Structures are given as structure tokens and as C-alpha cells.
Amino acid sequence: MKRILITGASGMVGKHLLKSLKSKKNILISPTKKELNLLDKKLTIKYISRTKPDIIIHCAAIVGGILFNKNNQTRMLSENLEINNNLINTAYNLGIKRLINFSSSCVYPNTNNKHKEKEIFDGNYEKTNEGYALSKFFSMKLCKFINEDKKFKYKTLIPCNLYGPGDTFDPKRSHLISSAIIKVSSAKKNRDSTVVIWGSGKVKREFLFCSDLANFVKFSMHNFNKMPDFINVGTKTNLSVLDYYKLICKTVNYYPKFKFDKSKPDGVYQKKLDTSLQNKLKWKNKVDISTGLKQTYNFYLKHYAKN
């Protein structure tokens, strides 16, 4: 029986991890932020010493959309840096041998090529997301150094953009898909003929459904020794922002005109991951974009639309 500690269990990914890993063979430890505040190192040491997990899945982070990240660079760097340092170093010092760390595609250089794992340490981050990227870079480097002690295996997953039920539908912090659902749904409700899209609408993004990522974590735990230290987790989907808006209009069944606010940042032109290592492990996502959008929209209707 494995004792599995999941940080950030109340977030979108964490909730899907709890479902995916629920088993008679697993004891899931899923503290709230009040029970385990990772910004408090003493509390972190005390909690992990008491719960004694066999493996830690670390997906806790301060996150936001492009404008939130751009306007909160100091917080995104300093708080995420502290969270990652406290959790990973505590696990190492207490002898926790296995850990799965979550990074982000923002650690890759600002280029238009498919991103391969070997490019991780090349730098040149996209400026609107630099603080968050640096904090994730630190966590990966720390795990890499810890792995030099062969008794430890700290793996880092680098997923593309994520979406799904449990996503953030706060207009100030939401990402592309949740933000678009809010805008198109509101336009339908208010019978607005126009929806404003930030930026040019031309930049491309790759999205993975959150339950697929949870399933990859479960797959990783069963194939831990085969896993490289760093691995991209992605899909074949690589659509423009405008394409996603059109798909969401189809999902919501409302078709407004689009207006582009080019005073807002686009971010990097493309964030497509190279999934060669993932393919070698013979894993691929199951949820297609249309099905995922329907489930995400239904979640929004149930939990947010009435508000």
C-alpha cells in the first residue's frame, strides 16, 4: 500500500488526481492549504514528517492567466520559488525517495519550434510569464541535482496548457479556454453581438484535458523507472486562439462577431511540445478537444453561470 501526498489537491489537476489514483492499494493524503501552507517551511517539515508519504505529487502553485502573470511577476517568482524550495528540499532532507514535480511549457525558450526536453536550460523566457517560468526552472534544476544521489528519483512532468472541469473562471486570473467560455456565455446571455479577443487571435496554443494529465501521472507511477528526469506531456492539438474561440462558440451554440484588442499581449507565438519521449512510452491522451470543451462548459454552467 502506497501513501501518496498530493500538494495542490484542491486545484483542477489535484481534484482529477484524487479520482484517478483512488484505489484500495493507495492511501491518498490531500491537505488543504490551511493544513499545509507550503510558504511556511516549519509547517511543511512538520506535516511531511508526520504523514510519512512514500511518494509526493507536487502540483501546488500560484497560477494565473497572461495579464495576471504579467502584472504580478514578483509574486509569481518569489512565492512559487518558496513553495518549490520548501516542498522539494523538505522531501529530500526527510528521505522521501520518489517525487513527481509539475513544471510548465513556459520554461522553454521563446521560439516557434516544437520544444524538446533538451532545450529546457536554454533560457530566453517569454517576458509576460518570466517570473513563473523562473520558479519552475528552479524546481526542475533542484530535482536534477537531487537525482545525482542515485537513491532518489524526482521526475518532472512538463504539460502543455491545461483545461477542464475545476478550471479557474475568475476573469482576472482565468486562462484562454475558461476566459473564452466566460466571454461567449456572457454574450449569449446578454445577447451581445460582439466578443472581444485579447491580442491578434493568431498565436497558437496546445491544450491537454486535465483528466488526461491525471491519467499520465498514474501511468508514470506504474512506469517510474522507465521515466526520464524530464518529460513533455502533450497532444496533437495546436490551434490558434481564434480557432479555440470558434470551437467554444460551437459548444455554447452562440456565434457573435469577434473584435481583436491588440493593445493586450499575445505572449509567445507558439507553445507546441515535442512528445517524442512520451510516444516512446506508448502513452497518448484520450479526450479530444470537442469532448473536453463540452465537459468544461457543462462544469461552468453548473457552478458559475447562475452567478
Side-chain angles (χ1 to χ4, degrees), residues 11-44:
M12 176 176 68
V13 175
K15 288 176 180 177
H16 285 268
L17 279 170
L18 290 174
K19 290 180 183 178
S20 180
L21 297 176
K22 188 176 181 180
S23 164
K24 291 180 179 179
K25 294 181 179 180
N26 296 331
I27 297 173
L28 301 180
I29 306 165
S30 53
T32 63
K33 187 175 180 180
K34 187 176 181 180
E35 293 171 318
L36 176 57
N37 182 357
L38 292 171
L39 291 169
D40 186 331
K41 188 169 185 177
K42 289 183 179 179
L43 181 62
T44 302

Short mmCIF file of all heavy atoms in Angstrom, two decimals, residues 11-44:
data_model
loop_
_atom_site.label_atom_id
_atom_site.label_comp_id
_atom_site.label_asym_id
_atom_site.label_seq_id
_atom_site.Cartn_x
_atom_site.Cartn_y
_atom_site.Cartn_z
N GLY A 11 -6.95 22.06 -6.33
CA GLY A 11 -6.94 22.68 -7.64
C GLY A 11 -7.48 21.76 -8.72
O GLY A 11 -7.85 20.60 -8.45
N MET A 12 -7.54 22.26 -9.94
CA MET A 12 -8.11 21.48 -11.05
C MET A 12 -7.39 20.15 -11.23
O MET A 12 -8.03 19.09 -11.27
CB MET A 12 -8.05 22.30 -12.35
CG MET A 12 -8.51 21.55 -13.58
SD MET A 12 -8.53 22.54 -15.09
CE MET A 12 -6.76 22.82 -15.34
N VAL A 13 -6.07 20.18 -11.35
CA VAL A 13 -5.31 18.95 -11.57
C VAL A 13 -5.40 18.05 -10.34
O VAL A 13 -5.59 16.84 -10.46
CB VAL A 13 -3.84 19.27 -11.89
CG1 VAL A 13 -3.03 17.98 -12.00
CG2 VAL A 13 -3.74 20.05 -13.19
N GLY A 14 -5.27 18.64 -9.16
CA GLY A 14 -5.31 17.87 -7.93
C GLY A 14 -6.59 17.08 -7.75
O GLY A 14 -6.57 15.90 -7.36
N LYS A 15 -7.73 17.70 -8.08
CA LYS A 15 -9.02 17.01 -7.95
C LYS A 15 -9.10 15.81 -8.89
O LYS A 15 -9.64 14.75 -8.52
CB LYS A 15 -10.15 17.99 -8.25
CG LYS A 15 -10.37 19.03 -7.15
CD LYS A 15 -11.45 20.02 -7.54
CE LYS A 15 -11.64 21.05 -6.44
NZ LYS A 15 -12.63 22.09 -6.82
N HIS A 16 -8.57 15.96 -10.09
CA HIS A 16 -8.59 14.84 -11.03
C HIS A 16 -7.59 13.75 -10.63
O HIS A 16 -7.82 12.57 -10.90
CB HIS A 16 -8.33 15.35 -12.44
CG HIS A 16 -9.51 16.06 -13.03
ND1 HIS A 16 -10.47 15.43 -13.78
CD2 HIS A 16 -9.91 17.35 -12.93
CE1 HIS A 16 -11.40 16.29 -14.15
NE2 HIS A 16 -11.08 17.47 -13.65
N LEU A 17 -6.50 14.15 -10.00
CA LEU A 17 -5.55 13.16 -9.49
C LEU A 17 -6.19 12.30 -8.40
O LEU A 17 -5.98 11.08 -8.35
CB LEU A 17 -4.32 13.87 -8.92
CG LEU A 17 -3.26 14.31 -9.91
CD1 LEU A 17 -2.23 15.20 -9.23
CD2 LEU A 17 -2.58 13.11 -10.56
N LEU A 18 -6.98 12.92 -7.52
CA LEU A 18 -7.64 12.17 -6.46
C LEU A 18 -8.57 11.10 -7.04
O LEU A 18 -8.65 9.99 -6.52
CB LEU A 18 -8.42 13.12 -5.55
CG LEU A 18 -7.58 14.05 -4.66
CD1 LEU A 18 -8.47 15.05 -3.93
CD2 LEU A 18 -6.78 13.24 -3.65
N LYS A 19 -9.26 11.44 -8.12
CA LYS A 19 -10.15 10.47 -8.77
C LYS A 19 -9.35 9.36 -9.44
O LYS A 19 -9.68 8.18 -9.33
CB LYS A 19 -11.01 11.18 -9.83
CG LYS A 19 -12.06 12.12 -9.26
CD LYS A 19 -12.85 12.76 -10.39
CE LYS A 19 -13.86 13.77 -9.85
NZ LYS A 19 -14.61 14.44 -10.97
N SER A 20 -8.29 9.75 -10.14
CA SER A 20 -7.51 8.79 -10.91
C SER A 20 -6.76 7.80 -10.02
O SER A 20 -6.62 6.62 -10.37
CB SER A 20 -6.52 9.55 -11.81
OG SER A 20 -5.73 8.66 -12.57
N LEU A 21 -6.28 8.28 -8.87
CA LEU A 21 -5.43 7.45 -8.01
C LEU A 21 -6.19 6.75 -6.89
O LEU A 21 -5.59 6.01 -6.10
CB LEU A 21 -4.31 8.31 -7.41
CG LEU A 21 -3.34 8.93 -8.42
CD1 LEU A 21 -2.35 9.84 -7.72
CD2 LEU A 21 -2.59 7.85 -9.20
N LYS A 22 -7.50 6.98 -6.82
CA LYS A 22 -8.30 6.34 -5.78
C LYS A 22 -8.28 4.83 -5.96
O LYS A 22 -8.64 4.31 -7.01
CB LYS A 22 -9.74 6.86 -5.82
CG LYS A 22 -10.58 6.38 -4.65
CD LYS A 22 -11.97 7.00 -4.70
CE LYS A 22 -12.81 6.53 -3.51
NZ LYS A 22 -14.17 7.13 -3.56
N SER A 23 -7.83 4.13 -4.92
CA SER A 23 -7.66 2.68 -5.02
C SER A 23 -7.50 2.10 -3.62
O SER A 23 -7.08 2.79 -2.68
CB SER A 23 -6.40 2.38 -5.85
OG SER A 23 -5.97 1.05 -5.68
N LYS A 24 -7.83 0.82 -3.49
CA LYS A 24 -7.64 0.13 -2.21
C LYS A 24 -6.15 0.00 -1.89
O LYS A 24 -5.78 -0.20 -0.73
CB LYS A 24 -8.29 -1.25 -2.26
CG LYS A 24 -9.81 -1.20 -2.31
CD LYS A 24 -10.39 -2.61 -2.34
CE LYS A 24 -11.91 -2.57 -2.38
NZ LYS A 24 -12.50 -3.94 -2.43
N LYS A 25 -5.30 0.12 -2.92
CA LYS A 25 -3.86 -0.02 -2.73
C LYS A 25 -3.18 1.30 -2.36
O LYS A 25 -1.99 1.32 -2.07
CB LYS A 25 -3.22 -0.58 -3.99
CG LYS A 25 -3.65 -2.00 -4.32
CD LYS A 25 -2.94 -2.50 -5.57
CE LYS A 25 -3.34 -3.93 -5.90
NZ LYS A 25 -2.66 -4.42 -7.12
N ASN A 26 -3.94 2.41 -2.42
CA ASN A 26 -3.36 3.73 -2.16
C ASN A 26 -4.01 4.41 -0.96
O ASN A 26 -5.22 4.34 -0.78
CB ASN A 26 -3.52 4.64 -3.37
CG ASN A 26 -2.77 4.14 -4.58
OD1 ASN A 26 -1.74 3.47 -4.47
ND2 ASN A 26 -3.27 4.46 -5.77
N ILE A 27 -3.19 5.06 -0.17
CA ILE A 27 -3.68 5.98 0.86
C ILE A 27 -3.37 7.39 0.35
O ILE A 27 -2.20 7.77 0.23
CB ILE A 27 -2.99 5.74 2.21
CG1 ILE A 27 -3.31 4.34 2.73
CG2 ILE A 27 -3.43 6.81 3.22
CD1 ILE A 27 -2.55 3.96 3.98
N LEU A 28 -4.40 8.15 0.01
CA LEU A 28 -4.23 9.48 -0.56
C LEU A 28 -4.24 10.53 0.54
O LEU A 28 -5.18 10.61 1.35
CB LEU A 28 -5.33 9.76 -1.58
CG LEU A 28 -5.41 8.79 -2.76
CD1 LEU A 28 -6.55 9.18 -3.70
CD2 LEU A 28 -4.10 8.74 -3.52
N ILE A 29 -3.20 11.32 0.57
CA ILE A 29 -3.08 12.40 1.56
C ILE A 29 -3.23 13.71 0.80
O ILE A 29 -2.40 14.05 -0.05
CB ILE A 29 -1.71 12.35 2.26
CG1 ILE A 29 -1.47 10.96 2.85
CG2 ILE A 29 -1.62 13.41 3.35
CD1 ILE A 29 -0.02 10.70 3.24
N SER A 30 -4.32 14.43 1.07
CA SER A 30 -4.64 15.62 0.27
C SER A 30 -4.96 16.81 1.17
O SER A 30 -6.12 17.16 1.36
CB SER A 30 -5.83 15.33 -0.66
OG SER A 30 -6.92 14.82 0.09
N PRO A 31 -3.92 17.42 1.75
CA PRO A 31 -4.14 18.51 2.70
C PRO A 31 -4.69 19.77 2.03
O PRO A 31 -4.40 20.07 0.87
CB PRO A 31 -2.74 18.77 3.24
CG PRO A 31 -1.82 18.34 2.14
CD PRO A 31 -2.50 17.15 1.52
N THR A 32 -5.50 20.51 2.79
CA THR A 32 -5.92 21.82 2.35
C THR A 32 -4.76 22.80 2.55
O THR A 32 -3.76 22.47 3.20
CB THR A 32 -7.12 22.31 3.17
OG1 THR A 32 -6.71 22.44 4.55
CG2 THR A 32 -8.28 21.33 3.09
N LYS A 33 -4.90 24.00 2.02
CA LYS A 33 -3.85 25.00 2.18
C LYS A 33 -3.67 25.36 3.66
O LYS A 33 -2.56 25.65 4.11
CB LYS A 33 -4.18 26.25 1.38
CG LYS A 33 -3.06 27.27 1.35
CD LYS A 33 -3.40 28.43 0.44
CE LYS A 33 -2.26 29.46 0.43
NZ LYS A 33 -2.58 30.61 -0.47
N LYS A 34 -4.77 25.30 4.42
CA LYS A 34 -4.69 25.60 5.85
C LYS A 34 -3.91 24.52 6.59
O LYS A 34 -3.14 24.80 7.51
CB LYS A 34 -6.11 25.72 6.44
CG LYS A 34 -6.14 26.20 7.88
CD LYS A 34 -7.57 26.38 8.36
CE LYS A 34 -7.60 26.88 9.80
NZ LYS A 34 -8.99 27.08 10.29
N GLU A 35 -4.06 23.28 6.16
CA GLU A 35 -3.36 22.16 6.80
C GLU A 35 -1.89 22.12 6.40
O GLU A 35 -1.04 21.74 7.20
CB GLU A 35 -4.02 20.84 6.41
CG GLU A 35 -5.42 20.67 6.96
CD GLU A 35 -6.12 19.46 6.37
OE1 GLU A 35 -6.00 19.25 5.14
OE2 GLU A 35 -6.80 18.73 7.13
N LEU A 36 -1.60 22.52 5.15
CA LEU A 36 -0.23 22.50 4.66
C LEU A 36 0.01 23.76 3.82
O LEU A 36 -0.22 23.77 2.61
CB LEU A 36 0.05 21.25 3.82
CG LEU A 36 1.44 21.16 3.17
CD1 LEU A 36 2.55 21.26 4.21
CD2 LEU A 36 1.58 19.90 2.35
N ASN A 37 0.47 24.81 4.47
CA ASN A 37 0.83 26.04 3.77
C ASN A 37 2.30 25.92 3.37
O ASN A 37 3.19 26.05 4.20
CB ASN A 37 0.61 27.26 4.68
CG ASN A 37 0.93 28.56 3.97
OD1 ASN A 37 1.39 28.56 2.82
ND2 ASN A 37 0.71 29.67 4.65
N LEU A 38 2.53 25.70 2.09
CA LEU A 38 3.90 25.44 1.62
C LEU A 38 4.79 26.68 1.67
O LEU A 38 6.00 26.57 1.44
CB LEU A 38 3.86 24.87 0.20
CG LEU A 38 3.27 23.46 0.10
CD1 LEU A 38 3.07 23.06 -1.35
CD2 LEU A 38 4.16 22.45 0.81
N LEU A 39 4.22 27.83 1.96
CA LEU A 39 5.04 29.03 2.17
C LEU A 39 5.65 29.04 3.57
O LEU A 39 6.52 29.86 3.86
CB LEU A 39 4.20 30.30 1.95
CG LEU A 39 3.75 30.55 0.51
CD1 LEU A 39 2.71 31.67 0.47
CD2 LEU A 39 4.94 30.89 -0.37
N ASP A 40 5.19 28.13 4.42
CA ASP A 40 5.68 28.01 5.80
C ASP A 40 6.57 26.76 5.88
O ASP A 40 6.08 25.63 5.91
CB ASP A 40 4.48 27.88 6.75
CG ASP A 40 4.89 27.89 8.22
OD1 ASP A 40 6.02 27.46 8.53
OD2 ASP A 40 4.08 28.33 9.04
N LYS A 41 7.88 26.98 5.92
CA LYS A 41 8.81 25.84 5.87
C LYS A 41 8.69 24.95 7.10
O LYS A 41 8.71 23.72 7.00
CB LYS A 41 10.26 26.34 5.73
CG LYS A 41 11.25 25.21 5.49
CD LYS A 41 12.62 25.72 5.10
CE LYS A 41 13.56 24.57 4.75
NZ LYS A 41 14.88 25.04 4.31
N LYS A 42 8.57 25.54 8.29
CA LYS A 42 8.46 24.75 9.51
C LYS A 42 7.22 23.86 9.49
O LYS A 42 7.26 22.69 9.87
CB LYS A 42 8.43 25.67 10.74
CG LYS A 42 9.77 26.34 11.03
CD LYS A 42 9.69 27.18 12.30
CE LYS A 42 11.04 27.82 12.60
NZ LYS A 42 10.97 28.68 13.83
N LEU A 43 6.10 24.42 9.01
CA LEU A 43 4.86 23.65 8.92
C LEU A 43 5.00 22.54 7.88
O LEU A 43 4.51 21.42 8.09
CB LEU A 43 3.70 24.57 8.53
CG LEU A 43 2.31 23.92 8.42
CD1 LEU A 43 1.89 23.33 9.76
CD2 LEU A 43 1.28 24.93 7.93
N THR A 44 5.71 22.83 6.80
CA THR A 44 5.93 21.82 5.75
C THR A 44 6.73 20.65 6.29
O THR A 44 6.38 19.48 6.06
CB THR A 44 6.66 22.47 4.54
OG1 THR A 44 5.88 23.57 4.04
CG2 THR A 44 6.86 21.45 3.43
#
